[in-house]
Amino acid sequence: MKQNRIGKTDITASVISLGTWSMGGDKQWGVSNDASSIKAIDTAVENGITLIDTAPAYGFGHSEMLVGQAIRRYKREDLVIETKCGVWWKDDNGTKILSRDGKTIRRNLSRKAMLEEIDDSLLRLGVDYIDIYVTHQQPQPPFLVEISEVMGTLKEIRKAGKIRAIGISNATTQQLKEYLQNGQVDLVQERYTMLDQQKMKEFLPICKDNQITIQAYSPLEQGLLTGKIGMDYVLDPTNVRNKIEWFQPEKRRHVLHMLDGWNDLCLKYGCETTELVIAWTLTGYDKMNVICGGRKVEHVLGYIRGGELKLKEADIQRINRDIDQCVKDCMENKRK
């Protein structure tokens, strides 16, 4: 699989990262099978994925522990481990995000919390250092921590040898600019899909100017863009997909029609819809990285080739036109 340099660092990683959110096994995803999750991690590594993304918030540490268990059989230097900080549930310090699984989750990027979180993550992962450390959620009132303080703590942690690179997630372009005023940002992790490109367009000029890697999460719209979720799919009330507008039946119908229209492209490239979508996502920027999740072997095997395909420019433009039409149709339907 193709490898890209992360930001300005000397870290290189596969253009596809393995996302382990669903492996946490909380109410958002339902109980996870740990043995299945570890097999999925093994399958990813054995097929060329070198970057594994996790976070303390994924199952309140469970995902990190699973990743730590799985990577023990590999050489540490062959893998790029990415985890996060800033989502806090240990006490009442922080700005509330939500309550889930009997805990209140808060935004907390104070120095005290970050220094505690990095050591907790190192322990759960069973490693001496973390390659990419990402601020998971950005500060908001009333528990507002200045970006200069956050970056100061990140640099302190990096100087101690506990992390190699700095990333930010779920941020605004103004917050990215503030981070850059106070230090080096190596990676920006943001939501980017065919159907939701706004943030990418906002961040791209700044990332290009500063040679920052963009890491796209949810590129498959939680499975909708695989083409394997049909009109008969019924969402459980607690399912995280309820928050995604494209799962609404009237919009889902347009999305599935678009995907069906690419059957000839899949035949041309000898790939599945999922792989075509991943390959398209990687065309957005030469320092693009795409997080693909899943806790089963078949999930991983379903997108691996997406990191190897090279789409012809004419096909990229055709896909772009189809996306624009699909979004337009969905918006017109919404206005009716």
Side-chain angles (χ1 to χ4, degrees):
M1 185 180 295
K2 183 182 176 184
Q3 302 268 317
N4 268 351
R5 184 180 173 191
I6 301 297
K8 296 179 181 178
T9 72
D10 60 357
I11 302 171
T12 58
S14 55
V15 293
I16 292 181
S17 304
L18 176 66
T20 63
W21 181 15
S22 62
M23 295 181 190
D26 52 41
K27 283 187 178 179
Q28 295 177 102
W29 292 102
V31 177
S32 181
N33 183 301
D34 290 354
S36 175
S37 295
I38 290 175
K39 285 181 180 178
I41 295 171
D42 285 340
T43 300
V45 175
E46 289 162 5
N47 282 275
I49 291 181
T50 62
L51 200 165
I52 302 174
D53 173 83
T54 185
Y58 302 163
F60 301 106
H62 189 69
S63 174
E64 283 188 326
M65 287 188 288
L66 266 183
V67 170
Q69 184 179 341
I71 65 175
R72 288 172 196 157
R73 70 199 74 187
Y74 303 103
K75 291 182 180 178
R76 176 65 184 88
E77 60 271 21
D78 290 343
L79 298 176
V80 178
I81 305 301
E82 174 178 277
T83 193
K84 308 177 185 75
C85 62
V87 175
W88 182 259
W89 63 87
K90 292 188 175 183
D91 56 36
D92 294 338
N93 292 314
T95 301
K96 182 178 178 179
I97 302 174
L98 54 83
S99 293
R100 172 169 54 82
D101 298 291
K103 294 180 173 61
T104 298
I105 304 169
R106 304 174 187 276
R107 300 170 186 261
N108 185 342
L109 281 171
S110 66
R111 180 177 179 275
K112 179 179 181 297
M114 290 173 69
L115 293 179
E116 187 171 339
E117 280 203 87
I118 183 63
D119 287 340
D120 287 347
S121 289
L122 288 169
L123 184 62
R124 284 191 289 258
L125 288 162
V127 296
D128 296 324
Y129 66 91
I130 288 159
D131 296 283
I132 308 170
Y133 201 47
V134 179
T135 54
H136 201 165
Q137 296 285 346
Q138 303 309 313
Q140 284 188 5
F143 195 85
L144 190 59
V145 182
E146 296 297 327
I147 296 296
S148 57
E149 179 184 335
V150 177
M151 181 56 93
T153 306
L154 288 167
K155 290 193 286 189
E156 178 183 345
I157 294 170
R158 186 174 60 190
K159 186 176 181 180
K162 296 181 180 181
I163 64 174
R164 298 174 66 197
I166 291 170
I168 68 171
S169 184
N170 300 306
T172 64
T173 52
Q174 181 56 42
Q175 287 169 327
L176 172 57
K177 290 174 183 177
E178 288 185 45
Y179 273 102
L180 289 170
Q181 289 168 3
N182 291 279
Q184 177 181 323
V185 175
D186 306 298
L187 178 143
V188 167
Q189 184 188 109
E190 292 294 339
R191 193 174 194 280
Y192 172 48
T193 83
M194 287 181 162
L195 303 170
D196 189 357
Q197 301 182 39
Q198 187 56 42
K199 269 209 159 184
M200 170 70 163
K201 292 175 180 177
E202 294 172 0
F203 278 93
L204 190 55
I206 305 172
C207 290
K208 281 184 174 179
D209 288 345
N210 293 277
Q211 299 179 49
I212 300 170
T213 293
I214 292 180
Q215 189 175 54
Y217 71 76
S218 296
L220 297 170
E221 286 290 5
Q222 305 296 350
L224 181 58
L225 290 174
T226 65
K228 295 176 181 178
I229 292 178
M231 291 304 300
D232 58 344
Y233 180 76
V234 178
L235 289 169
D236 181 273
T238 62
N239 194 304
V240 69
R241 294 179 175 94
N242 282 295
K243 300 177 182 178
I244 301 173
E245 61 176 318
W246 309 107
F247 275 86
Q248 296 168 9
E250 64 274 15
K251 293 184 180 180
R252 195 190 314 178
R253 187 172 290 105
H254 289 296
V255 175
L256 296 180
H257 176 72
M258 175 183 72
L259 298 179
D260 287 342
W262 295 338
N263 288 337
D264 63 318
L265 289 176
C266 291
L267 185 63
K268 175 180 178 178
Y269 289 102
C271 68
E272 298 293 329
T273 302
T274 301
E275 296 163 327
L276 185 72
V277 171
I278 295 301
W280 175 89
T281 307
L282 286 166
T283 66
Y285 176 39
D286 62 0
K287 290 183 77 67
M288 177 68 74
N289 186 280
V290 178
I291 298 179
C292 295
R295 49 190 176 183
K296 296 180 180 179
V297 168
E298 54 265 36
H299 293 157
V300 176
L301 293 176
Y303 53 68
I304 288 290
R305 284 200 65 236
E308 302 166 355
L309 293 177
K310 185 171 178 58
L311 304 182
K312 293 185 179 298
E313 184 60 30
D315 293 328
I316 296 171
Q317 294 307 317
R318 171 187 160 183
I319 291 171
N320 287 339
R321 289 192 297 271
D322 290 348
I323 295 167
D324 290 343
Q325 186 62 52
C326 177
V327 172
K328 180 181 177 181
D329 290 342
C330 287
M331 292 305 104
E332 288 179 352
N333 197 324
K334 182 178 181 179
R335 287 193 289 270
K336 289 179 181 179

